[in-house]
Amino acid sequence: MSEKNRKKKGRYGEYGGQYIPETLMCAVQELTDAYERYKNDPEFIQELTKLFRDYAGRPSMLYYAEKMTKDLGGAKIYLKREDLNHTGSHKINNVLGQVLLAKKMGKTRVIAETGAGQHGVATATAAALMGIECEIFMGKEDTNRQALNVYRMKLLGAKVHAVTSGTQTLKDAVNETMREWSRRMDDTLYVLGSVMGPHPFPMIVRDFQKIIGEEIRSQLMEREGKLPDAVVACVGGGSNAMGAFYDFIKDLEVRLIGCEAAGHGIDTDRHAATVAKGSTGVFHGMKSLFCQDEYGQIAPVYSISAGLDYPGIGPEHAQLAKEGRAQYVPVTDEEAVEAFEYLSRIEGIIPAIESAHAVAYAKKLAPAMKKDEIIVINLSGRGDKDVAAIARYRGVKIYE
Amino acid sequence: MSRVKEAFQDKKALIPFITGGYPSLEVTKKLLSVMQEAGADLIEIGIPFSDPAAEGVEIQEANERALAAGCTTDKLFDMVKESRKEVKVPVIYRTYFNPIYTYGKEKFMKRCVECGIDGVIVPDLPYEEKDEILPMCRQYGVDLISIVVPFSKERIFRTAEEAEGYIYCVSRPDLERKGEKIQTALAETAALVREAADIPCVADYDSLEPEQGRTLVKIFDGVAVHSAVMELISRYGEACVPHVSEYVRKIKEAVK
């Protein structure tokens, strides 16, 4: 392959690329070659399909939220139940793929960053299953917010490092995992958790997550004989949204809506709404949209949701936003918490606070749509991990 | 020949690195002068960045403190321009790409020329992405300095053939971990660079002792002292100037 083509391959319009130190180029190239080799390998596909089915519990259900639909009085609402996957979120899809790939590559150790802890838990799970050593990097602040997930990872045999540099959140966890990878590439694969970072990560993670959208298509065709009118998903780095959107990008009649964390509001300085408030920059190996200042210093971001508390967005989302193919909307903490409580009561489903951002926007959208139209909300994760934080938010004291 | 290449004529070059604005812009300015006086042949200044992921946590802390002390890209440019009245050795910026990109690539290069910056090292701009600024660097006569690592023969060749100023050979921690003889690996890397191009080849030198420097300059055209000077600045803070001066003098003696 010519140099030019290889370069083009990791691009989504002007976004994407491989902005990483020379030291890491060797590791990234090795991963690219391995992925190219295995992605169409029948044995690899068969093994992964089996893991998806027997271990993760795929296909995940597409549930008709009848009470919610009636309550909102507009479009029909379906929930794609990624929260019912093993480990409780869509993150398992990607890690089964990447850890299996690591094993094929002869790696004996995986490392990963985590925000809310869902990707860390998923990685630790896959590593335990496949007998691979696992170390997770998590911002100190997030280890406090999500203490239960820290213990969960330890139970699964992973070593958890609390990252104390910078803002002590997800972006710093990514920095530290990159550092660790460049210190130890020979036996270690970095299992990146979202559709971000240098090429080939945005592509690999998307490929392992796109099954979400493929299932939505076939399940909805079976149930309703048509495609959804809108697919709604929350966006931090954007892996669950990309997984849900990807199969529909070519179907222009399907609206794709990503919900960003607006924290206290996009007119305050306490948010993580990258598309609404960010600008083009280069960070964490990719050209994309970032919350940053006039000198390109990455801004400290905020969201009640540790999983959306990231100052950037995957490059393919940046391109979808630029083309106008997908729409990105800000959702505040308060709206997300209300949606968290709403879905719990009306459908008996406690969503992850991340996914509650998507529920919140769908609540606004549905009444404005016709009754024969369909919204699919990607319910990317379950909310057990958030219960204590929501109680705190509401001023309720819980003694665990 | 660029001023950067000239600095390697008939001698082994010593290139100390400091993070700009750490602990303060005033100290950075003093350091430039005393390091030149103590024998630095070129000087690398880091533009502080919020997330210097290609460097260790010590340098990240220095970056954070420089930013907290109010250092910005503009203030750093101004300080360098001011210091150019005394500092005559080539000055190289080491910066992540985002500060250049956000500043505006062309505006950045214009300011480099205006303030006397001779070259830039951009650790997160590998061969694949260097076209982001290479044409503009050439237009404004600012050398884009490249980095190579051992055991990447094809990449070393490609990089060296198009390199400007000097080439940086950095070690690979994972090789050291595996017990590879890093000295031999670096020597092989330097040999490959020389096979591909006529360009000075520099190695990272991170010891406080002169002995390692003596060994390195047998292979390389110069040494860049990255973390050792920074360690002294961290240790002595505002009072670091004489310590850095003494150290640079000692290393220069060892490597000249």
Side-chain angles (χ1 to χ4, degrees), chain B residues 127-153:
Chain B
Y127 182 85
E128 282 73 0
E129 305 295 352
K130 70 177 179 177
D131 283 348
E132 283 274 8
I133 56 167
L134 186 59
M136 209 154 278
C137 283
R138 289 198 169 135
Q139 187 187 332
Y140 285 92
V142 175
D143 285 344
L144 177 60
I145 288 142
S146 303
I147 297 170
V148 294
V149 299
F151 302 112
S152 56
K153 190 172 177 182

PDB file of all heavy atoms in Angstrom, chain B residues 127-153:
ATOM      1  N   TYR B 127       6.278  11.029  10.865  1.00  0.00           N
ATOM      2  CA  TYR B 127       6.472  11.119   9.420  1.00  0.00           C
ATOM      3  C   TYR B 127       5.140  11.240   8.678  1.00  0.00           C
ATOM      4  O   TYR B 127       4.977  12.063   7.785  1.00  0.00           O
ATOM      5  CB  TYR B 127       7.236   9.881   8.937  1.00  0.00           C
ATOM      6  CG  TYR B 127       7.516   9.904   7.462  1.00  0.00           C
ATOM      7  CD1 TYR B 127       8.630  10.574   6.960  1.00  0.00           C
ATOM      8  CD2 TYR B 127       6.645   9.280   6.569  1.00  0.00           C
ATOM      9  CE1 TYR B 127       8.878  10.612   5.604  1.00  0.00           C
ATOM     10  CE2 TYR B 127       6.893   9.313   5.208  1.00  0.00           C
ATOM     11  CZ  TYR B 127       8.011   9.978   4.729  1.00  0.00           C
ATOM     12  OH  TYR B 127       8.236  10.025   3.384  1.00  0.00           O
ATOM     13  N   GLU B 128       4.173  10.427   9.090  1.00  0.00           N
ATOM     14  CA  GLU B 128       2.871  10.368   8.408  1.00  0.00           C
ATOM     15  C   GLU B 128       2.136  11.701   8.407  1.00  0.00           C
ATOM     16  O   GLU B 128       1.304  11.944   7.549  1.00  0.00           O
ATOM     17  CB  GLU B 128       1.969   9.321   9.078  1.00  0.00           C
ATOM     18  CG  GLU B 128       2.263   7.884   8.715  1.00  0.00           C
ATOM     19  CD  GLU B 128       3.535   7.343   9.356  1.00  0.00           C
ATOM     20  OE1 GLU B 128       4.214   8.083  10.102  1.00  0.00           O
ATOM     21  OE2 GLU B 128       3.859   6.181   9.101  1.00  0.00           O
ATOM     22  N   GLU B 129       2.410  12.538   9.413  1.00  0.00           N
ATOM     23  CA  GLU B 129       1.627  13.770   9.550  1.00  0.00           C
ATOM     24  C   GLU B 129       2.449  15.034   9.349  1.00  0.00           C
ATOM     25  O   GLU B 129       1.944  16.130   9.528  1.00  0.00           O
ATOM     26  CB  GLU B 129       0.975  13.822  10.945  1.00  0.00           C
ATOM     27  CG  GLU B 129       0.126  12.613  11.310  1.00  0.00           C
ATOM     28  CD  GLU B 129      -1.110  12.462  10.436  1.00  0.00           C
ATOM     29  OE1 GLU B 129      -1.408  13.378   9.636  1.00  0.00           O
ATOM     30  OE2 GLU B 129      -1.775  11.412  10.546  1.00  0.00           O
ATOM     31  N   LYS B 130       3.735  14.882   8.993  1.00  0.00           N
ATOM     32  CA  LYS B 130       4.565  16.091   9.037  1.00  0.00           C
ATOM     33  C   LYS B 130       4.224  17.116   7.956  1.00  0.00           C
ATOM     34  O   LYS B 130       4.569  18.290   8.091  1.00  0.00           O
ATOM     35  CB  LYS B 130       6.047  15.735   9.022  1.00  0.00           C
ATOM     36  CG  LYS B 130       6.549  15.183   7.723  1.00  0.00           C
ATOM     37  CD  LYS B 130       8.037  14.959   7.840  1.00  0.00           C
ATOM     38  CE  LYS B 130       8.542  14.386   6.541  1.00  0.00           C
ATOM     39  NZ  LYS B 130       9.982  14.210   6.550  1.00  0.00           N
ATOM     40  N   ASP B 131       3.488  16.666   6.924  1.00  0.00           N
ATOM     41  CA  ASP B 131       3.081  17.630   5.900  1.00  0.00           C
ATOM     42  C   ASP B 131       2.161  18.723   6.445  1.00  0.00           C
ATOM     43  O   ASP B 131       1.928  19.724   5.780  1.00  0.00           O
ATOM     44  CB  ASP B 131       2.388  16.920   4.727  1.00  0.00           C
ATOM     45  CG  ASP B 131       3.412  16.239   3.832  1.00  0.00           C
ATOM     46  OD1 ASP B 131       4.619  16.519   4.010  1.00  0.00           O
ATOM     47  OD2 ASP B 131       3.014  15.419   2.973  1.00  0.00           O
ATOM     48  N   GLU B 132       1.664  18.493   7.661  1.00  0.00           N
ATOM     49  CA  GLU B 132       0.879  19.539   8.317  1.00  0.00           C
ATOM     50  C   GLU B 132       1.658  20.862   8.355  1.00  0.00           C
ATOM     51  O   GLU B 132       1.072  21.921   8.208  1.00  0.00           O
ATOM     52  CB  GLU B 132       0.551  19.129   9.760  1.00  0.00           C
ATOM     53  CG  GLU B 132      -0.564  18.118   9.886  1.00  0.00           C
ATOM     54  CD  GLU B 132      -1.944  18.766   9.919  1.00  0.00           C
ATOM     55  OE1 GLU B 132      -2.042  19.972   9.702  1.00  0.00           O
ATOM     56  OE2 GLU B 132      -2.917  18.024  10.163  1.00  0.00           O
ATOM     57  N   ILE B 133       2.973  20.770   8.613  1.00  0.00           N
ATOM     58  CA  ILE B 133       3.720  22.035   8.727  1.00  0.00           C
ATOM     59  C   ILE B 133       4.993  22.100   7.896  1.00  0.00           C
ATOM     60  O   ILE B 133       5.571  23.173   7.767  1.00  0.00           O
ATOM     61  CB  ILE B 133       4.077  22.389  10.195  1.00  0.00           C
ATOM     62  CG1 ILE B 133       4.846  21.267  10.870  1.00  0.00           C
ATOM     63  CG2 ILE B 133       2.859  22.768  10.983  1.00  0.00           C
ATOM     64  CD1 ILE B 133       5.483  21.723  12.182  1.00  0.00           C
ATOM     65  N   LEU B 134       5.412  20.967   7.324  1.00  0.00           N
ATOM     66  CA  LEU B 134       6.693  20.989   6.606  1.00  0.00           C
ATOM     67  C   LEU B 134       6.755  22.063   5.508  1.00  0.00           C
ATOM     68  O   LEU B 134       7.736  22.817   5.440  1.00  0.00           O
ATOM     69  CB  LEU B 134       7.003  19.593   6.045  1.00  0.00           C
ATOM     70  CG  LEU B 134       8.377  19.439   5.395  1.00  0.00           C
ATOM     71  CD1 LEU B 134       9.498  19.751   6.387  1.00  0.00           C
ATOM     72  CD2 LEU B 134       8.561  18.033   4.828  1.00  0.00           C
ATOM     73  N   PRO B 135       5.730  22.161   4.638  1.00  0.00           N
ATOM     74  CA  PRO B 135       5.813  23.186   3.586  1.00  0.00           C
ATOM     75  C   PRO B 135       5.964  24.591   4.167  1.00  0.00           C
ATOM     76  O   PRO B 135       6.748  25.395   3.664  1.00  0.00           O
ATOM     77  CB  PRO B 135       4.474  23.054   2.853  1.00  0.00           C
ATOM     78  CG  PRO B 135       3.968  21.689   3.176  1.00  0.00           C
ATOM     79  CD  PRO B 135       4.474  21.382   4.551  1.00  0.00           C
ATOM     80  N   MET B 136       5.253  24.843   5.266  1.00  0.00           N
ATOM     81  CA  MET B 136       5.317  26.174   5.855  1.00  0.00           C
ATOM     82  C   MET B 136       6.648  26.411   6.561  1.00  0.00           C
ATOM     83  O   MET B 136       7.193  27.512   6.527  1.00  0.00           O
ATOM     84  CB  MET B 136       4.158  26.346   6.820  1.00  0.00           C
ATOM     85  CG  MET B 136       3.735  27.772   6.907  1.00  0.00           C
ATOM     86  SD  MET B 136       2.038  27.892   7.379  1.00  0.00           S
ATOM     87  CE  MET B 136       1.220  27.639   5.838  1.00  0.00           C
ATOM     88  N   CYS B 137       7.187  25.362   7.182  1.00  0.00           N
ATOM     89  CA  CYS B 137       8.511  25.469   7.798  1.00  0.00           C
ATOM     90  C   CYS B 137       9.533  25.850   6.727  1.00  0.00           C
ATOM     91  O   CYS B 137      10.379  26.721   6.939  1.00  0.00           O
ATOM     92  CB  CYS B 137       8.925  24.139   8.429  1.00  0.00           C
ATOM     93  SG  CYS B 137       8.130  23.799  10.008  1.00  0.00           S
ATOM     94  N   ARG B 138       9.434  25.189   5.578  1.00  0.00           N
ATOM     95  CA  ARG B 138      10.397  25.457   4.500  1.00  0.00           C
ATOM     96  C   ARG B 138      10.231  26.881   3.989  1.00  0.00           C
ATOM     97  O   ARG B 138      11.214  27.589   3.751  1.00  0.00           O
ATOM     98  CB  ARG B 138      10.202  24.444   3.372  1.00  0.00           C
ATOM     99  CG  ARG B 138      10.675  23.068   3.812  1.00  0.00           C
ATOM    100  CD  ARG B 138      10.922  22.143   2.633  1.00  0.00           C
ATOM    101  NE  ARG B 138      11.621  20.947   3.110  1.00  0.00           N
ATOM    102  CZ  ARG B 138      11.307  19.701   2.760  1.00  0.00           C
ATOM    103  NH1 ARG B 138      10.326  19.477   1.891  1.00  0.00           N
ATOM    104  NH2 ARG B 138      11.986  18.683   3.234  1.00  0.00           N
ATOM    105  N   GLN B 139       8.977  27.293   3.836  1.00  0.00           N
ATOM    106  CA  GLN B 139       8.709  28.636   3.335  1.00  0.00           C
ATOM    107  C   GLN B 139       9.333  29.695   4.233  1.00  0.00           C
ATOM    108  O   GLN B 139       9.872  30.688   3.760  1.00  0.00           O
ATOM    109  CB  GLN B 139       7.190  28.830   3.247  1.00  0.00           C
ATOM    110  CG  GLN B 139       6.778  30.127   2.574  1.00  0.00           C
ATOM    111  CD  GLN B 139       5.262  30.331   2.676  1.00  0.00           C
ATOM    112  OE1 GLN B 139       4.501  29.366   2.755  1.00  0.00           O
ATOM    113  NE2 GLN B 139       4.844  31.584   2.679  1.00  0.00           N
ATOM    114  N   TYR B 140       9.274  29.451   5.541  1.00  0.00           N
ATOM    115  CA  TYR B 140       9.781  30.460   6.477  1.00  0.00           C
ATOM    116  C   TYR B 140      11.192  30.167   6.974  1.00  0.00           C
ATOM    117  O   TYR B 140      11.716  30.894   7.813  1.00  0.00           O
ATOM    118  CB  TYR B 140       8.805  30.602   7.653  1.00  0.00           C
ATOM    119  CG  TYR B 140       7.572  31.363   7.244  1.00  0.00           C
ATOM    120  CD1 TYR B 140       6.443  30.703   6.769  1.00  0.00           C
ATOM    121  CD2 TYR B 140       7.552  32.757   7.269  1.00  0.00           C
ATOM    122  CE1 TYR B 140       5.319  31.405   6.358  1.00  0.00           C
ATOM    123  CE2 TYR B 140       6.444  33.468   6.857  1.00  0.00           C
ATOM    124  CZ  TYR B 140       5.327  32.789   6.405  1.00  0.00           C
ATOM    125  OH  TYR B 140       4.228  33.487   5.993  1.00  0.00           O
ATOM    126  N   GLY B 141      11.797  29.087   6.494  1.00  0.00           N
ATOM    127  CA  GLY B 141      13.167  28.774   6.892  1.00  0.00           C
ATOM    128  C   GLY B 141      13.297  28.346   8.347  1.00  0.00           C
ATOM    129  O   GLY B 141      14.300  28.631   9.005  1.00  0.00           O
ATOM    130  N   VAL B 142      12.274  27.684   8.847  1.00  0.00           N
ATOM    131  CA  VAL B 142      12.344  27.132  10.210  1.00  0.00           C
ATOM    132  C   VAL B 142      12.541  25.622  10.060  1.00  0.00           C
ATOM    133  O   VAL B 142      11.739  24.958   9.414  1.00  0.00           O
ATOM    134  CB  VAL B 142      11.034  27.426  10.981  1.00  0.00           C
ATOM    135  CG1 VAL B 142      11.053  26.760  12.349  1.00  0.00           C
ATOM    136  CG2 VAL B 142      10.812  28.929  11.110  1.00  0.00           C
ATOM    137  N   ASP B 143      13.628  25.080  10.625  1.00  0.00           N
ATOM    138  CA  ASP B 143      13.892  23.645  10.459  1.00  0.00           C
ATOM    139  C   ASP B 143      12.879  22.803  11.235  1.00  0.00           C
ATOM    140  O   ASP B 143      12.634  23.053  12.412  1.00  0.00           O
ATOM    141  CB  ASP B 143      15.296  23.300  10.981  1.00  0.00           C
ATOM    142  CG  ASP B 143      16.378  23.768  10.006  1.00  0.00           C
ATOM    143  OD1 ASP B 143      16.048  24.060   8.837  1.00  0.00           O
ATOM    144  OD2 ASP B 143      17.549  23.829  10.420  1.00  0.00           O
ATOM    145  N   LEU B 144      12.332  21.795  10.557  1.00  0.00           N
ATOM    146  CA  LEU B 144      11.463  20.844  11.255  1.00  0.00           C
ATOM    147  C   LEU B 144      12.328  19.647  11.629  1.00  0.00           C
ATOM    148  O   LEU B 144      12.781  18.893  10.769  1.00  0.00           O
ATOM    149  CB  LEU B 144      10.298  20.410  10.354  1.00  0.00           C
ATOM    150  CG  LEU B 144       9.356  19.356  10.958  1.00  0.00           C
ATOM    151  CD1 LEU B 144       8.700  19.855  12.236  1.00  0.00           C
ATOM    152  CD2 LEU B 144       8.278  18.960   9.942  1.00  0.00           C
ATOM    153  N   ILE B 145      12.579  19.500  12.909  1.00  0.00           N
ATOM    154  CA  ILE B 145      13.504  18.464  13.373  1.00  0.00           C
ATOM    155  C   ILE B 145      12.754  17.163  13.642  1.00  0.00           C
ATOM    156  O   ILE B 145      11.690  17.161  14.263  1.00  0.00           O
ATOM    157  CB  ILE B 145      14.272  18.973  14.613  1.00  0.00           C
ATOM    158  CG1 ILE B 145      15.276  20.029  14.102  1.00  0.00           C
ATOM    159  CG2 ILE B 145      14.994  17.862  15.331  1.00  0.00           C
ATOM    160  CD1 ILE B 145      15.462  21.178  14.975  1.00  0.00           C
ATOM    161  N   SER B 146      13.321  16.070  13.117  1.00  0.00           N
ATOM    162  CA  SER B 146      12.617  14.781  13.181  1.00  0.00           C
ATOM    163  C   SER B 146      13.169  13.872  14.267  1.00  0.00           C
ATOM    164  O   SER B 146      14.298  14.038  14.726  1.00  0.00           O
ATOM    165  CB  SER B 146      12.731  14.056  11.846  1.00  0.00           C
ATOM    166  OG  SER B 146      12.218  14.861  10.818  1.00  0.00           O
ATOM    167  N   ILE B 147      12.366  12.894  14.603  1.00  0.00           N
ATOM    168  CA  ILE B 147      12.723  11.925  15.636  1.00  0.00           C
ATOM    169  C   ILE B 147      12.716  10.525  15.027  1.00  0.00           C
ATOM    170  O   ILE B 147      11.833  10.191  14.246  1.00  0.00           O
ATOM    171  CB  ILE B 147      11.709  11.992  16.801  1.00  0.00           C
ATOM    172  CG1 ILE B 147      11.764  13.376  17.467  1.00  0.00           C
ATOM    173  CG2 ILE B 147      11.964  10.889  17.823  1.00  0.00           C
ATOM    174  CD1 ILE B 147      10.653  13.649  18.455  1.00  0.00           C
ATOM    175  N   VAL B 148      13.735   9.727  15.357  1.00  0.00           N
ATOM    176  CA  VAL B 148      13.732   8.317  14.940  1.00  0.00           C
ATOM    177  C   VAL B 148      13.954   7.425  16.155  1.00  0.00           C
ATOM    178  O   VAL B 148      14.519   7.857  17.158  1.00  0.00           O
ATOM    179  CB  VAL B 148      14.814   8.006  13.866  1.00  0.00           C
ATOM    180  CG1 VAL B 148      14.513   8.739  12.565  1.00  0.00           C
ATOM    181  CG2 VAL B 148      16.209   8.339  14.361  1.00  0.00           C
ATOM    182  N   VAL B 149      13.472   6.198  16.052  1.00  0.00           N
ATOM    183  CA  VAL B 149      13.685   5.230  17.140  1.00  0.00           C
ATOM    184  C   VAL B 149      14.357   3.981  16.573  1.00  0.00           C
ATOM    185  O   VAL B 149      14.211   3.686  15.383  1.00  0.00           O
ATOM    186  CB  VAL B 149      12.368   4.836  17.849  1.00  0.00           C
ATOM    187  CG1 VAL B 149      11.698   6.032  18.488  1.00  0.00           C
ATOM    188  CG2 VAL B 149      11.417   4.139  16.895  1.00  0.00           C
ATOM    189  N   PRO B 150      15.091   3.236  17.411  1.00  0.00           N
ATOM    190  CA  PRO B 150      15.773   2.025  16.936  1.00  0.00           C
ATOM    191  C   PRO B 150      14.811   0.983  16.360  1.00  0.00           C
ATOM    192  O   PRO B 150      13.616   0.986  16.682  1.00  0.00           O
ATOM    193  CB  PRO B 150      16.433   1.479  18.210  1.00  0.00           C
ATOM    194  CG  PRO B 150      16.558   2.641  19.123  1.00  0.00           C
ATOM    195  CD  PRO B 150      15.391   3.520  18.823  1.00  0.00           C
ATOM    196  N   PHE B 151      15.361   0.118  15.531  1.00  0.00           N
ATOM    197  CA  PHE B 151      14.626  -1.012  14.955  1.00  0.00           C
ATOM    198  C   PHE B 151      13.410  -0.594  14.135  1.00  0.00           C
ATOM    199  O   PHE B 151      12.334  -1.168  14.250  1.00  0.00           O
ATOM    200  CB  PHE B 151      14.200  -2.012  16.045  1.00  0.00           C
ATOM    201  CG  PHE B 151      15.360  -2.543  16.830  1.00  0.00           C
ATOM    202  CD1 PHE B 151      15.519  -2.216  18.160  1.00  0.00           C
ATOM    203  CD2 PHE B 151      16.299  -3.343  16.217  1.00  0.00           C
ATOM    204  CE1 PHE B 151      16.602  -2.683  18.879  1.00  0.00           C
ATOM    205  CE2 PHE B 151      17.394  -3.829  16.936  1.00  0.00           C
ATOM    206  CZ  PHE B 151      17.545  -3.494  18.264  1.00  0.00           C
ATOM    207  N   SER B 152      13.576   0.458  13.349  1.00  0.00           N
ATOM    208  CA  SER B 152      12.477   0.822  12.447  1.00  0.00           C
ATOM    209  C   SER B 152      13.135   1.285  11.143  1.00  0.00           C
ATOM    210  O   SER B 152      12.972   2.411  10.721  1.00  0.00           O
ATOM    211  CB  SER B 152      11.610   1.921  13.053  1.00  0.00           C
ATOM    212  OG  SER B 152      12.392   3.056  13.387  1.00  0.00           O
ATOM    213  N   LYS B 153      13.928   0.373  10.562  1.00  0.00           N
ATOM    214  CA  LYS B 153      14.824   0.702   9.467  1.00  0.00           C
ATOM    215  C   LYS B 153      14.184   1.541   8.354  1.00  0.00           C
ATOM    216  O   LYS B 153      14.687   2.599   7.994  1.00  0.00           O
ATOM    217  CB  LYS B 153      15.391  -0.582   8.864  1.00  0.00           C
ATOM    218  CG  LYS B 153      16.525  -0.336   7.883  1.00  0.00           C
ATOM    219  CD  LYS B 153      17.190  -1.629   7.461  1.00  0.00           C
ATOM    220  CE  LYS B 153      18.259  -1.326   6.416  1.00  0.00           C
ATOM    221  NZ  LYS B 153      18.892  -2.550   5.937  1.00  0.00           N
TER     222      LYS B 153
END
